Amino acid sequence: MAEKEQFVRFDWAMKRLLRDKANYVVLEGLITTLLGKRIIIKKLLESESNQDSEDDKQNRVDMLAEDETGALYLIEVQNETEFAYFQRMLFGASKLVTEYINRGQGYENIRKVYSINIVYFNLGQGKDIVYHGKTEFRGMHDGDILQLSPFQKQKFEVDAVSDLYPEYYILKANDFNRWSKMPLEQWIYVLSTGDIPDDADAPGLSEAREKLRLAKMTKTELDSYYRHLDNVVILRDNIETAKNEGWLEGRAEGRAEGEAKGRAEGIKEERLRSAKTMKEDGLPIDIIVKYTGLSHKEITNL
């Protein structure tokens, strides 16, 4: 019996493989499936969101792409629990809006921003695996949705007010293991399991089968990839343990305040331990920041 082919995780591929222009087709497939319209990536961009200060880590952009129309796609992968992640999404999109307009330009030059968030933890409360958020203005008396004027539609070349504002997508990729013929569910399955079945036909997945094969990796790439997997597993275990310990401490105190404080202190302690281990293993500080949420200063002082 032939050995089942293995593929690298999408979060690692984004940092190493999918930045090659020849591999844009994989990202284009994911975005096309989400938006329901064909997207062609023109180039990848470097965000300046991290450069205000070394502690400004709320917008660690994993990937920033620009399509042929000038729209921006901020793609983030989050492995660890982050209770303020909704606000982080807002912060990231807002910073891009201000970064990509020059001083003195009119507001009509503001870029369209799509914030695509692949999360491997239970964000909020909801039963679906994909959520879409956009801005609408609804009348408080009649409940009607405020529309653009004919002139505005012609001027901005969009149909609705919401088309002018950032849009948010949340893909909840944890523990989804049901294969489907629906393109979007196929993508979530691949993001969750790392497996790409032979009959995968969603946009970008046939190309992903070829480009993300583990067998194609060099030894250096494999070493980096396996270290990444180990760190993800360690971090998840530590955070889960810390949450449970914090919950027990808070319950013993009999107060919600004690419960929250116990969780926070436990998580911080475990993150510091994980960061110290990663630092001793020689991982770059930027990577440690990404997977622990600690600041450069905290990690440097370990």
Side-chain angles (χ1 to χ4, degrees):
M1 183 176 179
E3 185 177 350
K4 187 175 181 180
E5 192 160 27
Q6 294 181 304
F7 305 91
V8 300
R9 279 172 53 108
F10 193 79
D11 55 346
W12 186 87
M14 282 210 322
K15 298 176 183 300
R16 299 293 192 278
L17 307 179
L18 301 185
R19 295 181 179 276
D20 186 334
K21 189 170 184 178
N23 297 338
Y24 284 2
V25 64
V26 178
L27 287 176
E28 290 170 351
L30 171 60
I31 298 173
T32 292
T33 301
L34 267 180
L35 272 60
K37 60 181 180 181
R38 184 78 174 111
I39 299 299
I40 303 295
I41 294 177
K42 179 181 177 182
K43 59 184 176 180
L44 299 184
L45 303 170
E46 291 297 330
S47 171
E48 297 179 356
S49 297
N50 297 332
Q51 298 180 7
D52 291 345
S53 74
E54 68 174 13
D55 293 328
D56 183 14
K57 61 182 182 298
Q58 299 304 315
N59 187 28
R60 291 287 167 184
V61 176
D62 285 333
M63 183 169 286
L64 179 60
E66 178 186 31
D67 71 13
E68 293 181 324
T69 71
L72 301 173
Y73 300 86
L74 190 167
I75 306 172
E76 293 273 13
V77 177
Q78 181 71 7
N79 283 294
E80 64 177 275
T81 300
E82 186 170 333
F83 77 96
Y85 194 79
F86 288 116
Q87 293 94 321
R88 172 175 168 171
M89 290 164 47
L90 172 63
F91 181 86
S94 300
K95 271 212 153 186
L96 286 183
V97 168
T98 58
E99 280 182 19
Y100 284 91
I101 185 170
N102 295 324
R103 182 173 295 178
Q105 282 188 314
Y107 295 129
E108 67 273 14
N109 294 294
I110 288 177
R111 301 269 203 111
K112 175 70 174 185
V113 173
Y114 294 92
S115 173
I116 299 171
N117 301 271
I118 303 168
V119 299
Y120 289 88
F121 65 96
N122 292 320
L123 176 61
Q125 292 186 339
K127 297 180 180 179
D128 212 323
I129 55 173
V130 180
Y131 289 87
H132 176 212
K134 59 183 181 180
T135 299
E136 292 181 335
F137 296 90
R138 189 177 297 275
M140 295 181 64
H141 292 91
D142 298 328
D144 65 313
I145 296 177
L146 186 63
Q147 303 292 332
L148 294 172
S149 70
F151 172 76
Q152 288 173 317
K153 289 183 179 181
Q154 182 181 18
K155 175 70 174 177
F156 303 134
E157 298 182 344
V158 296
D159 296 322
V161 173
S162 60
D163 293 329
L164 301 174
Y165 285 81
E167 295 186 36
Y168 302 87
Y169 290 86
I170 298 173
L171 286 65
K172 304 182 76 170
N174 54 318
D175 301 327
F176 184 80
N177 58 7
R178 183 181 72 248
W179 185 239
S180 169
K181 282 297 183 182
M182 295 180 61
L184 189 51
E185 290 194 356
Q186 287 187 13
W187 262 107
I188 302 299
Y189 174 88
V190 171
L191 293 172
S192 179
T193 67
D195 181 35
I196 309 177
D198 293 337
D199 59 342
D201 55 8
L205 286 186
S206 60
E207 292 82 0
R209 279 191 58 82
E210 173 61 25
K211 299 178 184 299
L212 305 187
R213 287 189 293 122
L214 207 63
K216 291 187 62 175
M217 302 297 101
T218 66
K219 183 180 185 305
T220 300
E221 288 172 334
L222 284 173
D223 289 343
S224 174
Y225 177 60
Y226 287 134
R227 283 198 303 271
H228 169 72
L229 291 184
D230 290 342
N231 288 330
V232 169
V233 171
I234 291 170
L235 185 60
R236 285 185 181 177
D237 287 346
N238 287 342
I239 290 176
E240 187 63 30
T241 299
K243 285 196 302 184
N244 291 335
E245 290 177 349
W247 181 81
L248 289 173
E249 181 179 339
R251 186 180 181 187
E253 293 178 3
R255 300 190 305 271
E257 180 181 353
E259 182 177 319
K261 181 179 178 182
R263 282 199 301 267
E265 291 177 351
I267 290 174
K268 184 62 176 289
E269 183 179 344
E270 290 301 329
R271 287 181 177 177
L272 288 169
R273 290 176 187 168
S274 296
K276 185 176 181 181
T277 300
M278 294 178 188
K279 186 177 179 182
E280 290 172 350
D281 288 343
L283 268 69
I285 289 183
D286 283 346
I287 297 297
I288 301 175
V289 168
K290 171 68 182 177
Y291 288 103
T292 64
L294 299 173
S295 68
H296 279 76
K297 184 176 181 181
E298 288 174 315
I299 294 170
T300 303
N301 290 338
L302 287 175

